[in-house]
């Protein structure tokens, strides 16, 4: 069954296994009875045997670490909303265990507004009341939600008269009024105009900055890249694919048969570096690459270092200014990626390198081989150094032959 617990740090005797996990689900399954009027009458008198069931979730296991969001992608009917409601305790799982550690704020699918005859203001008050908020805090959160949703005079109209976008503003505003340890968010970030979506994202970033965790269900794969540290594809109630957001998004967009990103037969990396690679902030860094040029013609290389920032997404922090010529004659070549002084603050990054062929100034580059976003194989980098240290950019990339 679902359990909402105090924050782990406030519980004496918690084991190491639970520490640092905000939301966990272990082997969760959920089904619903498919009933008609006759079945409903029999079930009311304890005769549910033989009634057909629909399995909405099957053997779902996920973990959302403290301070991170996990993303769920899936088509309509995949079971995303059922999963979120089960995590939040609206539905009881048929089997498996769920633990939510800390205070919970939830936004379920649009249209679930309680009593649609309530006005927007009454809806906010009702939701705050259900959460046990009272006194001055309740007044402050009511004002916060009213201001955030920007419904103006319509805040005192009935919710049933709202458009989908207006309802989305209301639901998001009340669910994120105040700060919670854990958020369960369903679809709402993809509703409304760009202004409101950007406003929602800023609020999510603020919650992340304060260590919030949660599960985000959405069709908007760009949000998964911006917010989540891990993601899953849900198909017919099961996780069909799980992993880093960039790999999951590629699988979601292009399916199982991903297009080959490289043109073979021109040049290739003899072997890819095995990560994680270690760098020291402020100190030199060098990485040799062995390259096999298979066909005569100029072969260039480009390199970049990226990082995932919660609430922002993947960002490039260093990139080579222009492709560097490696060679043009068939045979083995060696190139060194060198930084005279690593200009990065301590943390985790990803190194991407691509071999390219450039046919002309206006012609698209042809990717020949490499590791990075295109094939989901960026090499992890760990930069060590004094905590909180920052180092100036720009840095100068150098490819050279020994």
């Amino acid at each position: 069954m679902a359990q909402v617990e105090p924050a782990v740090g406030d519980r004496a005797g918690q084991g190491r296994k639970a520490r640092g996990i905000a939301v966990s689900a272990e082997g969760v399954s959920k089904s619903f009875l498919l009933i008609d009027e006759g079945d409903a009458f029999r079930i009311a008198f304890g005769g549910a045997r033989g009634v057909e069931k629909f399995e909405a979730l099957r053997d779902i296991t996920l973990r959302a670490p403290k301070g991170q969001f996990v993303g769920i992608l899936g088509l309509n009917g995949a079971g995303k909303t059922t999963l979120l409601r089960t995590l939040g305790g609206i539905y009881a799982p048929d089997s498996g265990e769920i633990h939510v550690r800390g205070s919970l704020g939830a936004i379920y699918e649009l249209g679930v507004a309680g009593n649609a005859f309530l006005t927007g203001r009454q809806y906010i008050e009702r939701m705050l009341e259900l959460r046990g908020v009272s006194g001055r805090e309740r007044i402050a959160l009511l004002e916060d939600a009213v201001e955030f949703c920007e419904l103006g005079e319509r805040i005192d109209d009935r919710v049933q008269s709202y458009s989908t976008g207006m309802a989305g503003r209301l639901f998001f505003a009340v669910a994120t009024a105040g700060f919670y340890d854990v958020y369960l968010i369903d679809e709402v970030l993809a509703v409304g105009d760009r202004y409101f979506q950007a406003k929602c994202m800023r609020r999510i970033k603020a919650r992340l900055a304060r260590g919030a965790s949660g599960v985000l269900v959405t069709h908007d794969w760009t949000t998964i890249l911006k917010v989540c540290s891990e993601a899953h594809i849900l198909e017919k109630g099961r996780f069909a694919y799980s992993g880093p957001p960039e790999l999951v998004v590629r699988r979601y967009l292009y399916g199982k048969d991903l297009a080959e990103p490289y043109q073979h037969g021109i040049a290739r990396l003899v072997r890819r570096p095995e990560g994680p690679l270690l760098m020291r902030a402020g100190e030199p860094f060098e990485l040799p690459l062995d390259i096999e040029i298979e066909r005569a013609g100029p072969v260039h290389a480009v390199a970049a270092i990226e990082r995932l920032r919660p609430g922002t997404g993947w960002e490039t922090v260093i990139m080579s200014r222009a492709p560097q010529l490696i060679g043009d004659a068939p045979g083995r070549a060696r190139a060194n990626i060198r930084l005279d002084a690593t200009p990065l603050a301590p943390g985790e990054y990803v190194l991407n390198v691509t071999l390219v062929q450039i046919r002309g100034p206006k012609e698209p580059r042809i990717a020949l081989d490499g590791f990075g976003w295109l094939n989901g194989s960026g090499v992890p980098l760990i930069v060590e150094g004094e905590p909180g240290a920052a180092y100036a950019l720009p840095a100068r990339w150098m490819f050279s032959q020994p």
Side-chain angles (χ1 to χ4, degrees), residues 72-76 78 80 187 218-222 224 231-235 241 245-256 258:
I72 309 293
L73 285 165
L75 302 176
N76 290 334
K80 302 189 303 299
E187 298 293 0
T218 181
H219 288 102
D220 183 7
W221 57 269
T222 62
I224 296 290
H232 306 270
I233 297 176
L234 190 64
E235 293 181 359
Y241 192 77
E246 64 272 24
L247 295 187
V248 172
V249 166
R250 287 194 75 229
R251 184 69 166 258
Y252 180 70
L253 293 176
Y254 300 112
K256 297 180 181 179
L258 299 179

Side-chain angles (χ1 to χ4, degrees), residues 93-130:
D94 298 338
S95 61
E97 293 187 357
I98 296 171
H99 296 276
V100 178
R101 299 174 177 90
S103 56
L104 175 65
I107 310 172
Y108 301 115
E109 83 281 9
L110 298 179
V112 179
N115 187 342
F117 289 97
L118 295 175
T119 67
R121 189 184 303 275
Q122 290 171 338
Y123 172 79
I124 297 172
E125 292 174 337
R126 177 69 59 82
M127 295 303 295
L128 294 176
E129 180 182 356
L130 291 174

Side-chain angles (χ1 to χ4, degrees), residues 291 293 297-302 322-329 333-335 355-356 358 398-401:
I291 299 165
I293 299 177
V299 174
H300 296 75
V302 292
Q324 301 294 309
L325 179 64
I326 300 301
D328 57 7
R334 167 166 283 194
L355 303 180
V356 298
I358 304 174
M398 295 185 66
F399 285 88
S400 63
Q401 294 179 331

Side-chain angles (χ1 to χ4, degrees), residues 57-81:
L57 300 174
R58 182 174 180 181
D59 197 25
I60 295 294
T61 295
L62 67 80
R63 294 175 182 84
K66 292 184 65 177
Q68 299 180 27
F69 268 71
V70 170
I72 309 293
L73 285 165
L75 302 176
N76 290 334
K80 302 189 303 299
T81 294

Side-chain angles (χ1 to χ4, degrees), residues 5-26:
E5 308 173 3
V8 172
D10 296 334
R11 291 172 58 86
Q14 284 283 351
R16 291 176 179 263
K17 184 176 180 180
R19 189 167 300 149
I21 301 297
V23 181
S24 65
E26 298 287 342

